[in-house]
Amino acid sequence: MEFAERAPRRRLGVHGPEVPLLALGSWNTWDRMDREDAAELIRLAVDRGVDMFDVAHYNFGPHAENAVTDVLFGQAVRDAGLAREDYLLCGKLWLWDYPTSSFAEQIKVSLGRIGTDHADMVVLGDFMERPDMRAVVTDVSELVRAGKFTSWGVNNWSAGDVLFACRFATAEGLVPPSFAQLKYSVARRSVPEGAPYSNLFAHEGLGLQASDVLEGGILAGRLEPERKIGADPGGIRDRIRAAYPELQRAADRFGATPAQVAIAYCLAHPAVANVLVGVSRASQLEDNLTALGLAARHGAELRDAVAGLWLDRGVVDPAASWGTDAPVPR
């Protein structure tokens, strides 16, 4: 099964840009590659229409890692000979030290490390202690007006906080969030498929960007990843490992790989604009591109085939951020 065309595009929310169905993330990616390989992969991605890159400065809160993946990405783009208009850049702003660490200072440092003067969109990271949402929306809107980026989204916020941000922005003539970047996979569905976020997609014009769709590689068959991977809301990771053979059986039915089925499953969600993946080899990118054709041909069938793999049902509260367990029934 091959997918030889360029990646199709969808709009990232009512207020967002058109983006490719597949986008490349940066966490623990570019720092695992040789310099020449990174440039070659970026050139290939852009040639295949996968021209959106999610890149962050990881040095805040639990991500205080002194990582250089963003610096390496900027170097790889230059090595690849790309002009800034050749690709879309999605940056991140962190709320862990906000407002002590202002958005204006964060974006200045982040863009400087990459070697550009603007992003196309940014994602506001998650938080444990709720910040002043009025200040957050006001400050990020000022950066849009200053030309630092054109749209913004949120990363794993509660549905209630996203709704407040949308309504406050509209009332004050500010820029509302256009998308939510949510942890989403065949195993983790409660938040992106739950009623609270479904209402946001339907009534607030919010788009959905799926992240961590392969569970750090576990859903691609690497059951014990050696690198650092994302958080485990609800503590279901061992159940995901145990359920991998069921995903493999579903993939066999479609003549596909488990990774392709996992990506295609998310793309079949009507609100999903694109899926973020982390690849470090050209073969991985080609394998993931094949998932686009799989989703187009068998989206509904795929969702039925993996219906039994919803493992965070009743474990994570659909209205909450990914870090909040489901409420205990009274």
Side-chain angles (χ1 to χ4, degrees), residues 26 28 48 62 81 94 102 124 150 180 190 210 215 271 277 279 285:
S26 68
N28 292 325
R48 301 299 297 276
W94 303 103
S102 71
L124 269 62
T150 57
S190 293
E215 191 73 16
V277 294
V279 302
L285 176 62

Side-chain angles (χ1 to χ4, degrees), residues 167-284:
R167 298 288 174 83
F168 175 73
T170 299
E172 298 296 320
L174 302 172
V175 181
S178 62
F179 66 99
Q181 185 184 99
L182 299 178
K183 199 177 186 78
Y184 184 28
S185 72
V186 296
R188 301 185 189 273
R189 312 178 192 175
S190 293
V191 174
E193 294 188 9
Y197 260 101
S198 294
N199 288 332
L200 290 171
F201 302 141
H203 303 300
E204 300 299 327
L206 204 70
L208 173 56
Q209 187 176 81
S211 69
D212 205 12
V213 299
L214 298 179
E215 191 73 16
I218 292 173
L219 293 176
R222 296 183 292 277
L223 301 186
E224 299 291 342
E226 296 179 357
R227 63 179 178 85
K228 181 179 179 181
I229 63 176
D232 180 19
I236 64 169
R237 187 154 287 151
D238 285 342
R239 292 177 60 196
I240 294 174
R241 290 189 180 94
Y244 177 76
E246 184 176 344
L247 179 62
Q248 179 69 69
R249 286 191 292 272
D252 290 344
R253 287 174 50 188
F254 293 94
T257 67
Q260 290 165 356
V261 170
I263 292 169
Y265 173 88
C266 293
L267 285 170
H269 189 302
V272 167
N274 63 1
V275 167
L276 285 176
V277 294
V279 302
S280 55
R281 298 190 305 276
S283 60
Q284 290 177 318

Side-chain angles (χ1 to χ4, degrees), residues 3 9 20 24-25 32 43-46 85 87 119 124 134 137 172 199 208 214 223 229 274 290 292:
F3 186 85
R9 304 177 89 80
L24 299 189
R32 292 187 288 123
R43 277 194 299 267
L44 174 63
V46 172
E85 59 268 22
Y87 66 95
L124 269 62
R134 293 175 176 83
V137 175
E172 298 296 320
N199 288 332
L208 173 56
L214 298 179
L223 301 186
I229 63 176
N274 63 1
T290 301
L292 307 186

Side-chain angles (χ1 to χ4, degrees), residues 88-142:
L88 295 172
L89 175 63
C90 181
K92 274 193 168 66
L93 296 172
W94 303 103
L95 289 161
W96 304 104
D97 300 323
Y98 174 87
T100 302
S101 178
S102 71
F103 291 158
E105 181 60 26
Q106 286 188 46
I107 198 69
K108 178 181 178 182
V109 171
S110 180
L111 294 176
R113 287 168 63 88
I114 296 169
T116 185
D117 62 356
H118 71 283
D120 295 283
M121 65 210 79
V122 299
V123 176
L124 269 62
D126 56 335
F127 50 86
M128 294 300 178
E129 295 184 8
R130 191 175 188 268
D132 180 345
M133 285 296 174
R134 293 175 176 83
V136 166
V137 175
T138 300
D139 288 353
V140 75
S141 295
E142 286 300 317

